[in-house]
Amino acid sequence: MSGNVQLLSDTLAAARSEGRAALIAYLPAGFPTVAGGVEAVKAALDGGADVVEVGLPHSDPVLDGPVIQTADDIALRGGVRIADVMRTVREAHEATGKPILVMTYWNPIDRYGVERFTAELAEAGGAGCILPDLPVQESALWREHADKHGLATVFVVAPSSKDARLAEITAVGSGFVYAASLMGVTGTRESVGAQAEDLVRRTRATTDTPVCVGLGVSNAAQAAEVARFADGVIVGSAFVKRMLDAPDDAAGLEGVRALAADLAKGVRGQV
């Protein structure tokens, strides 16, 4: 069975044809429970997200700030497994028809087996993977299997990336390029800053692949700011924080749905 890389590309192209950026939400699998995590992903999509990244919780994250680390810890203590991540992708995609990616560090895939992971992700209807710590020069095996199974390979670029490095990354990535708006870990910020705009400009000089910006966006005004220059706006910690701060699971889901609706207005310039 082939994955949904084409659905991801079509979704980003459709947003562009509407004269707007796509809204991409991030939520970890297994938080607050496996079933609750599925409902959270569906709530983000129902609220207005175009795409969701499902996080594979990791005990030693490189990119994730304290909010997502807290959620990951809850998921890990709950016993979340890769099978639960696949379930989350499958059920959210079947319920909404929208593209779902997995965001994961490399070690869990390496231990699970690349062929097994890509085959199962494609079978679940996944659109691809974001791999923040996989060096491009060591990615050939992954890309071979991802391509075979119709999955996007999304790499992360940072403000520190030199132009030659950007070209090296964008030459082999697919789906979209994840542009980290600043140096550091995930989390909401007061402003997203000029670094992100410069990084998008430099990345676009190397590729026609959409460039989506993450790290720091937490409200509609910031989403609108980033949407002026990026193809997609990625929001993670703000969604997770809504759930962590909620008095119960139902309120958490409503918070996710409401934030998605607010951010959807932002990427459309309706703020």
Side-chain angles (χ1 to χ4, degrees):
M1 180 173 176
S2 183
N4 275 311
V5 62
Q6 191 60 51
L7 175 63
L8 175 64
S9 297
D10 291 348
T11 299
L12 294 171
R16 176 180 284 186
S17 73
E18 295 172 14
R20 66 173 180 90
L23 174 59
I24 303 174
Y26 166 95
L27 287 157
F31 169 71
T33 62
V34 175
V38 173
E39 292 307 311
V41 172
K42 285 160 43 175
L45 292 165
D46 291 343
D50 299 289
V51 179
V52 167
E53 306 169 4
V54 172
L56 196 162
H58 197 278
S59 58
D60 187 27
V62 177
L63 191 69
D64 300 320
V67 170
I68 291 173
Q69 284 187 33
T70 298
D72 278 4
D73 185 55
I74 291 168
L76 290 167
R77 283 190 282 114
V80 70
R81 296 288 183 266
I82 287 177
D84 301 315
V85 177
M86 299 300 178
R87 172 188 163 185
T88 304
V89 171
R90 176 182 293 104
E91 293 187 10
H93 173 65
E94 286 178 351
T96 65
K98 293 186 178 181
I100 316 288
L101 299 108
V102 169
M103 186 166 187
T104 179
Y105 299 101
W106 179 245
N107 180 257
I109 294 178
D110 192 37
R111 292 189 63 182
Y112 196 72
V114 175
E115 168 61 22
R116 181 184 176 194
F117 189 95
T118 51
E120 290 183 8
L121 182 55
E123 191 276 329
C129 238
I130 301 159
L131 301 160
D133 67 339
L134 177 63
V136 168
Q137 61 269 29
E138 297 174 18
S139 67
L141 177 66
W142 164 267
R143 288 186 285 112
E144 174 192 341
H145 289 288
D147 290 348
K148 180 171 79 171
H149 289 292
L151 299 169
T153 298
V154 179
F155 290 114
V156 178
V157 298
S160 59
S161 302
K162 300 289 190 275
D163 290 352
R165 179 65 173 165
L166 291 176
E168 184 182 4
I169 291 169
T170 59
V172 295
S174 57
F176 63 89
V177 182
Y178 187 126
S181 65
L182 38 77
M183 301 303 292
V185 297
T186 60
T188 61
R189 301 292 194 282
E190 291 301 314
S191 64
V192 181
Q195 277 189 325
E197 188 166 4
D198 179 64
L199 177 58
V200 170
R201 178 188 58 77
R202 292 193 298 118
T203 304
R204 278 194 176 143
T206 71
T207 183
D208 291 328
T209 303
V211 183
C212 304
V213 171
L215 273 67
V217 177
S218 61
N219 58 49
Q222 290 174 338
E225 176 193 353
V226 173
R228 286 190 300 101
F229 58 82
D231 298 296
V233 179
I234 302 168
V235 181
S237 295
F239 281 111
V240 176
K241 193 169 188 308
R242 287 287 179 108
M243 296 183 68
L244 285 170
D245 291 348
D248 54 52
D249 290 352
L253 294 177
E254 191 47 50
V256 166
R257 193 175 288 106
L259 178 59
D262 195 39
L263 293 166
K265 290 179 182 176
V267 298
R268 290 167 172 78
Q270 298 170 355
V271 292

